[in-house]
Every structure is written in C-alpha cells, then in structure tokens.
C-alpha cells in the first residue's frame, strides 16, 4: 500500500527524544523552550507558545482576544472542522465565507459580499433572519499550504475593523510575498499532526508579536497559572493544553532539517504536476504568483466533475494506493446542519470544489517510482470506473 502520508523520522529525532526521556523533565522543559524559539524564528514573530494541538492553539488565540458568547467569527467552510469549532467552544457563532475556485482560500469578493449582507441583516440561521450588530473576528485559512492573498483582504479587514486570526495550521514554511505565513494576523497557529510538514506526534503552536497574547496563552495552556507559574496558584480559567517534552523534542529535531523537508516536498509536488499535466480530466494544484514559497501539506488534485470520485477512491484503495476526498464542507457536516440549519447551495464554490477534490499520496520521502504508480493507478481508475 502506498499510504496517503507518513512522517519523516531520522535517527536525529530518535536520539533527541531519548535525550528528553533521560532528562527526567517530561513537561515544560528545555525542549519546549527550544522548539518555541525556533518556530518564532521561522514565523518571524516575537513569541511562540507550544500546545498539544493546532485546535488548542486556535482556541487559546480567540480566547486571548476576548471572543464572547454570541460573538460572530467569519471563517471558510473549506477547511478542517476545528477552524470553526473553536468559536463554538466559546459559544460564539461561525459564519462561513466562500472560496476562490483556484486557490481554495477565502475569496475577497465573497468576503465583501458577506459583510454587506451582514450589514443589511440578510443572514439566516435555522431559517430565521438574524440581525448582527457587529462581526469582530475573521479567521482566514492558508489551506493546504497555499498562502491567503492578504493584500487583497487587508482593505476589507480595515474597512470593517476585523480582528484577524491566521489559521496557518497547514502552512509551516509557506510565504506570502516573502513574508512567512502565521505572521499576518493578531496571532497565528501551526499544527504538527503526523501528516504535516513536520510532526510532534500531536501538537500545535501559537505565534504572535503581541506579548499580552503570548502571556495569556501561556497561562491558559497551563491551567490558568500566573506568569510565575506558581504551583496551585490559578489566576484565570485555564486548560491542560501543554505540549509534553517528548513531543517538543521530536519537533525540535524535525526543525533541524526543515529546509530539506520543504525542498523534498516541493520537488515531489512539481513532479506530480508535470506527470499529471498531460491529462485533461485532472487539475494539479494552482500556485498563485504571490506564493513565493509553499510548505506543501498535502497534494490535492481536482477531478473533472463528470468523474465518479467515490468509485475512483474505491478502485485505487483496492489496488494499493490510498487516496481521500479533501475537504468536505464544514457547513454541511451533520452537526452544523442540525445546529444551524445549513443546506446545500449556501456556498456554491466551496460545495462544487469539495465534490471534485482528491488527495493523493504525498510525503517527504515519496519516490519517483511511487509517484508514477499513483498517477498510473489514478489513470486506470478514471478509465475503468470513473
């Protein structure tokens, strides 16, 4: 089986984790601090706060920014469900915006139109027209590692006075016009699940230039302890969102060859695009001119809408190649349909794209031979069952 993803683990990672084990400090030790310092350099921010998942990172950011019950947060539906769920953790309400058909990121025109409808009171939840006095928060997503077009979004953000939280959980190493992703909002987040560019097993991190946000997130990740982190002294509501020292050690070791990882993934992406360019029934990922660097997370193609994607997935899996649909719209997940009454047709671009996208095997060590097998098997699947 050629798997969809796999982590890139070398002897360096093994030795570093063993060193952490021997240290007798398995939480909040030196590797957590080293990992945070290296990520802050990569993101070009003053602060980084490591936590146990990307979801935790996003949650702490919006909490630190003061999101409240019945606040509204604009977020794309073409993303992992956690991007929207974190608003619900605080009893705020996510409002979904449509995406650009090429980049799959937030469409600035769609954002402008959504904000106008909000101003005019033309937003419906559970079939009821809802009057929204003000939307304060906006969470764009650098989906699949493709940077959001921040220059196009900034005038809209400024005009409507939106607070931006950058979900860069899939975009470690990506750059927008030579500026690192994660550094555009009040704060940003990266995630390190095993299919990401680097992994900590499970883990995430908050990056920000604002000391107040960093200090608040440090406190809340550690059960609400104060800045002195005194034992059993809790100054606010907090959570057990700490990253463990073994995970931090793994992440720190991974960062020592991040450029090698990013280079290999970029080369693999280019090979796939070249291999697939001869077929008119598939579109390789679009790379915008402003994306001066992409830290490839997954490699997602778009199939012709006439192709039966489910049969293609079944055929490829039965022939030793693991593939998956990527992403299913958040607003059409059963929970969101039930809670907010969403139906199909609300976000036409998101819904159309989601029906035709397919993630194919992609990881740092994938070989040319493996990629050729993937492409050949995809071609067979389309011809025989698609």
């Amino acid at each position: 089986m050629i798997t969809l993803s796999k982590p890139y683990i070398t002897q360096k990672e093994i030795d570093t984790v063993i060193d952490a084990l021997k240290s007798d400090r398995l939480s909040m030790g030196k590797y957590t601090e080293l990992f945070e310092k290296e990520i802050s350099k990569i993101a070009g921010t003053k602060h980084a706060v490591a936590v146990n998942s990307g979801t935790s990172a996003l949650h702490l950011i919006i909490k630190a920014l003061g999101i409240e019950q019945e606040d509204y947060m604009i977020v794309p539906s073409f993303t992992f469900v956690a991007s929207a769920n974190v608003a619900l953790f605080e009893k705020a309400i996510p409002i979904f915006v449509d995406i650009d058909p090429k980049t799959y990121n937030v469409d600035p025109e769609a954002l402008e139109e959504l904000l106008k409808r909000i101003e005019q009171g033309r937003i419906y939840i559970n079939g009821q027209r809802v009057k929204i006095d003000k939307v304060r928060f906006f969470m764009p997503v650098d989906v699949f590692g493709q940077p959001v077009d921040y220059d196009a979004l900034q005038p809209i953000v400024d005009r409507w006075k939106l607070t931006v939280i950058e979900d860069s959980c899939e975009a470690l190493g990506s750059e927008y016009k030579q500026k690192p992703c994660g550094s555009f909002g009040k704060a940003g987040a990266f995630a390190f699940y095993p299919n990401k560019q680097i992994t900590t097993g499970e883990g995430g991190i908050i990056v920000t230039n604002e000391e107040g946000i960093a200090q608040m997130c440090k406190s809340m990740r550690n059960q609400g302890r104060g800045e002195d982190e005194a034992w059993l002294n809790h100054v606010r509501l907090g959570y057990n969102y700490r990253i463990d020292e073994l995970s931090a050690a793994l992440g720190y070791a991974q960062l020592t060859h991040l450029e090698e990882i990013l280079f290999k993934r970029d080369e693999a992406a280019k090979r796939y695009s070249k291999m697939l360019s001869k077929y008119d029934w598939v579109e390789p990922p679009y790379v915008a001119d402003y994306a001066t660097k992409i830290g490839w997370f997954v490699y997602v193609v778009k199939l012709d809408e006439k192709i039966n994607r489910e049969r293609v997935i079944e055929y490829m899996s039965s022939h030793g190649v693991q593939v998956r649909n990527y992403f299913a719209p958040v607003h059409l997940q059963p929970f969101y349909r039930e809670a907010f009454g969403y139906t199909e047709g609300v976000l036409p671009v998101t819904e159309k794209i989601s029906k035709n996208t397919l993630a194919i095997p992609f990881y740092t060590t994938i070989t040319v031979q493996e990629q050729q097998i993937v492409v050949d098997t995809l071609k067979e699947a389309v011809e025989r069952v698609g």
Side-chain angles (χ1 to χ4, degrees), residues 30-187:
K30 72 173 184 178
Y31 281 113
T32 296
E33 184 176 343
L34 288 169
F35 183 55
E36 290 173 338
K37 286 182 177 179
E38 289 304 310
I39 290 291
S40 68
K41 291 177 186 177
I42 292 164
T45 58
K46 295 178 181 178
H47 307 282
V49 182
V51 290
N52 59 4
S53 72
T55 304
S56 297
L58 293 173
H59 183 205
L60 292 188
I61 290 171
I62 65 169
K63 184 83 171 176
L65 290 171
I67 199 168
E68 298 175 347
Q69 183 173 347
E70 297 185 0
D71 265 334
Y72 294 87
M73 184 181 80
I74 296 174
V75 63
S77 177
F78 192 77
T79 183
F80 185 62
V81 69
S83 305
N85 281 355
V86 293
L88 298 180
F89 293 171
E90 297 303 314
K91 298 183 179 179
I93 301 171
I95 301 178
F96 296 106
V97 61
D98 218 342
I99 58 172
D100 179 272
K102 288 185 177 180
T103 66
Y104 306 158
N105 283 329
V106 173
D107 182 349
E109 291 185 6
L111 177 61
E112 186 82 76
E113 173 60 27
L114 174 62
L115 288 162
K116 287 179 181 177
R117 287 196 289 114
I118 290 171
E119 185 179 53
Q120 296 164 2
R122 295 189 290 116
I123 297 295
Y124 294 84
I125 296 178
N126 280 324
Q128 300 296 316
R129 191 165 177 168
V130 178
K131 174 62 176 175
I132 300 173
D133 293 329
K134 181 176 175 56
V135 176
R136 295 199 293 151
F137 301 97
F138 171 42
M139 185 184 289
V141 180
D142 300 310
V143 73
F144 305 150
Q146 171 88 253
V148 168
D149 188 354
Y150 283 97
D151 283 353
L153 289 173
Q154 196 61 52
I156 305 170
V157 167
D158 292 343
R159 186 159 56 251
W160 295 88
K161 298 179 181 179
L162 300 173
T163 297
V164 175
I165 304 107
E166 187 179 358
D167 183 344
S168 293
C169 287
E170 301 171 3
L172 182 69
S174 295
E175 295 178 357
Y176 175 78
K177 297 184 178 180
Q178 300 184 327
K179 183 178 179 181
C181 286
S183 62
F184 289 90
K186 282 281 188 178

